[in-house]
């Protein structure tokens, strides 16, 4: 005979699982919907979404790879946008890791005049929305002649403040004894950073990589404002240009946009959780 | 151990996906190049395109000397007739200013009274200040009133010119604001004014050529001018054009003339498949090819522009794209649909 406590526990577990399942379904539905509709033919998409009444459907009547053929084989412009996104996001992430590690180590382990003032300025800048700094960025980039080149998007991204803040929090948890020991062994500051600090906090660096990549993969304002040539635009902008006559292609491009982020997350999800835990951000 | 296996699997999948995407990128470029539509064309050349609109206009003088007064004045004598040439300072008419003079006397009396009060003894500073203000107001009233009618009742020509209108006759009283006499000065500019409505009016900017036709001695004469000013009449939703006319044309004020307003522009003759033009036949859009140096060498990119079809016959259409006219020649055969950003191969040379 089951005790009332056990029964109550089972019921509460069941309710929790039900609620979590519902939340998971709601969260996953857009992605599932995109993937499922990428196998619809153009005719079926028009039939479902082109009329006055919209019919949401997950299962196609006749699955087809027509959209995939168009995006991956028949027209190079979609993949060109994809590689533009990879170039921009990858460059920004790589640069940001370097700058953030150096800046974060400086804030975490060094004392210098007005350190707190600079740190608070950093936090304030981090909290400002991107639209606020867009105009000033444009003026500066125009003055140095970078408007229209990839550098106009990469450079402001590399020097973003969130990475410095995150790495400062992550490195501040490192015991100073480790650094003293390395100093005694004759290592200079750069060597300490590269051989001691970063390897011991590589999960934090990995969390920066994934957060930064997600943020920059979806960027819209900077490329739209700084890149005049539409052939240089990333996939995130291109997705908004696809008109209602090409919904099938829009779904396939959506799948294409999901892929890198999904793979990166699967690769680094443990690092993301550990990195946030170690950063004392909770 | 399992984690390492999962990671290895993930690495493998990621590398595989990257390789596939790279392969697809190169493959798609090759396939696309094979699928490029070849469009036969003659040489892509520049030329001139003209559009025009016809209407009627009126000859007007905008800088006339108008002799009108804000008070009603009985006319005693008119010394000129319409069409008469007058010199600067010439007497044009006489009006009765008796009532105005009486009114002016009353106003002057008021000024004198206030002045006398001001000169009285025993006034406080506040009283003096108030009276001073009163005096200034009264003096201003006198000055303003004096401007409302001609001194000595004589209307004198401010400049040499031609009398274009006589509004008053002897014994009649001209109402306030109405012209007694109008004189067109010798240096006044004559304008031809005409209107075009709605979209038709939008086409012609400043500087558009205007052909002005009128009959002179039983012959039709055509003169050429340009649009000097454009205004928009909100009520009539019309664009009002002003063209400066030459006074040697001897157009009397109010004369109606025939107007042909013309606009010419360079155009680029290019080839657009029939299917492309037909999609924009309602004027909402059209595909236009422009030279583009692409990855595969010299190509002509077909771009979608929001344009207005101005004129169209069975083989060609003139379209306006912002401030530039583009002419497209429709080819009789067609290939598949063309989208914004598509590239077509064109055989021919841009000259």
């Amino acid at each position: 005979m089951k005790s009332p406590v056990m029964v109550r526990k089972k019921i509460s577990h069941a309710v929790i699982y039900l609620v979590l399942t519902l939340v998971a379904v709601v969260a996953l539905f857009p992605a599932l919907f995109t993937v499922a509709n990428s196998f619809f033919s153009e005719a079926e998409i028009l039939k479902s979404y082109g009329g006055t009444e919209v019919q949401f459907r997950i299962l196609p009547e006749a699955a087809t790879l027509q959209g995939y053929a168009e995006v991956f084989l028949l027209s190079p412009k979609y993949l060109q946008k994809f590689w533009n996104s990879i170039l921009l996001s990858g460059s920004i992430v790589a640069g940001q890791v370097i700058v953030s590690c150096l800046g974060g180590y400086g804030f975490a382990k060094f004392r210098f005049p007005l350190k707190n003032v600079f740190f608070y300025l950093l936090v304030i800048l981090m909290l400002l929305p991107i639209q606020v700094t867009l105009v000033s960025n444009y003026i500066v980039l125009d003055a140095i002649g970078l408007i229209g080149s990839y550098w106009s998007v990469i450079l402001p991204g590399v020097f973003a403040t969130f990475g410095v803040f995150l790495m400062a929090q992550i490195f501040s948890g490192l015991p100073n004894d480790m650094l003293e020991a390395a100093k005694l062994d004759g290592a200079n500051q750069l060597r300490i950073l590269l051989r001691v600090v970063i390897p011991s906090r590589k999960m934090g660096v990995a969390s920066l990589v994934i957060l930064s990549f997600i943020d920059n993969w979806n960027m819209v304002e900077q490329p739209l404002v700084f890149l005049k040539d539409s052939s240089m635009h990333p996939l995130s902008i291109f997705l908004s240009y696809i008109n209602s006559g090409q919904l099938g292609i829009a779904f396939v491009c959506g799948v294409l946009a999901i892929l890198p982020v999904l793979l990166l997350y699967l690769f680094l999800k443990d690092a993301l959780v550990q990195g946030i835990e170690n950063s004392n951000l909770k | 151990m399992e984690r390492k296996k999962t990671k290895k699997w993930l690495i493998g999948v990621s590398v595989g996906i990257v390789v596939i995407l790279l392969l697809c990128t190169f493959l798609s470029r090759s396939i696309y190049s094979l699928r490029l539509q070849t469009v036969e064309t003659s040489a892509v050349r520049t030329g001139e395109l003209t559009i025009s609109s016809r209407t009627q206009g009126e000859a007007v003088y905008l800088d006339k000397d108008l002799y009108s007064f804000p008070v009603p004045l009985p006319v005693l004598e008119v010394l000129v007739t319409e069409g008469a040439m007058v010199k600067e300072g010439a007497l044009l008419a006489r009006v009765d200013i008796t009532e105005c003079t009486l009114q002016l006397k009353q106003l002057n009396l008021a000024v004198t009274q206030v002045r006398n009060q001001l000169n009285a003894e025993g006034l406080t500073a506040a009283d003096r200040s108030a009276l001073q203000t009163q005096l200034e107001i009264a003096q201003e009233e006198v000055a303003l009133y004096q401007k409302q009618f001609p001194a000595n009742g004589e209307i004198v020509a401010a400049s040499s010119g031609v009398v274009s209108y006589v509004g008053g006759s002897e014994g009649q009283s001209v109402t306030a604001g109405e012209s007694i006499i109008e004189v067109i000065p010798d240096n006044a500019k004559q304008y031809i004014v005409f209107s075009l409505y709605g979209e038709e009016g939008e086409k012609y900017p400043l500087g558009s050529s205007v052909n002005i036709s009128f009959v002179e001695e039983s012959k039709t004469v055509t003169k050429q001018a340009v649009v000097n000013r454009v205004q928009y009449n909100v009520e009539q939703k019309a664009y009002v054009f002003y063209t400066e006319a030459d006074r040697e044309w001897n157009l009397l004020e109010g004369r109606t003339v025939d107007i042909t307003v013309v606009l010419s522009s360079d155009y680029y003759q290019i080839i657009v498949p029939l299917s492309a033009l037909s999609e924009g036949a309602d004027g909402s859009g059209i595909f236009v090819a422009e030279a583009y140096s692409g990855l595969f060498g010299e190509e002509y990119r077909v771009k979608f522009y929001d344009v207005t079809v101005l004129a169209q016959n069975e083989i060609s259409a003139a379209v306006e794209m912002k401030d530039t006219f583009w002419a497209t020649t429709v080819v009789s055969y067609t290939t598949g649909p063309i989208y914004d950003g598509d590239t077509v191969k064109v055989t021919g040379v841009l000259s």
Side-chain angles (χ1 to χ4, degrees), chain A residues 70-77 79-80 82-83 229-231 246 256 259 263 266-268 270 274, chain B residues 3 7 10-11 13-14 17-18 21-22 24-25 27-29 31-32 35 292 301 339-342:
Chain A
E70 179 66 36
V71 169
F72 287 99
L73 289 175
L74 300 179
S75 181
K77 59 184 175 186
L79 285 173
Q80 184 189 358
F82 173 79
W83 292 117
D229 189 356
S230 60
S231 65
Q246 298 173 280
L256 189 61
L259 266 178
L263 286 172
L266 288 172
F267 206 65
L268 296 175
D270 294 333
Q274 277 190 34
Chain B
R3 266 195 181 174
K7 263 206 169 162
L10 265 174
I11 292 170
V13 166
S14 307
I17 287 175
V18 167
L21 285 174
L22 282 168
C24 286
T25 306
L27 215 59
S28 63
R29 285 188 191 278
I31 293 172
Y32 193 66
R35 287 177 70 216
Y292 164 71
R301 176 174 291 201
Y339 297 111
D340 178 26
D342 281 356

Side-chain angles (χ1 to χ4, degrees), chain B residues 196-204 237 239 308-310 320:
Chain B
L196 289 170
Y197 296 87
E199 283 178 10
E200 199 182 1
E202 281 176 9
K203 295 176 196 171
Y204 302 100
K237 291 184 188 170
Y239 288 85
T308 309
V309 177
L310 296 170
E320 180 189 73

Side-chain angles (χ1 to χ4, degrees), chain B residues 1 12 39 41 76 81 94 108 110 112-113 124 154 160 165 183 191 199 226 262 272 290 294 321 323 328 330 339 351:
Chain B
M1 195 64 181
V39 182
T41 177
L76 293 174
T81 53
R94 284 201 182 86
N108 277 326
T112 312
Q113 279 173 350
T124 62
E154 290 179 348
S160 306
Y165 174 75
V183 174
Y191 288 89
E199 283 178 10
V226 294
V262 177
V272 177
E290 57 183 24
M321 182 186 72
D323 296 326
T328 65
V330 177
Y339 297 111
S351 60

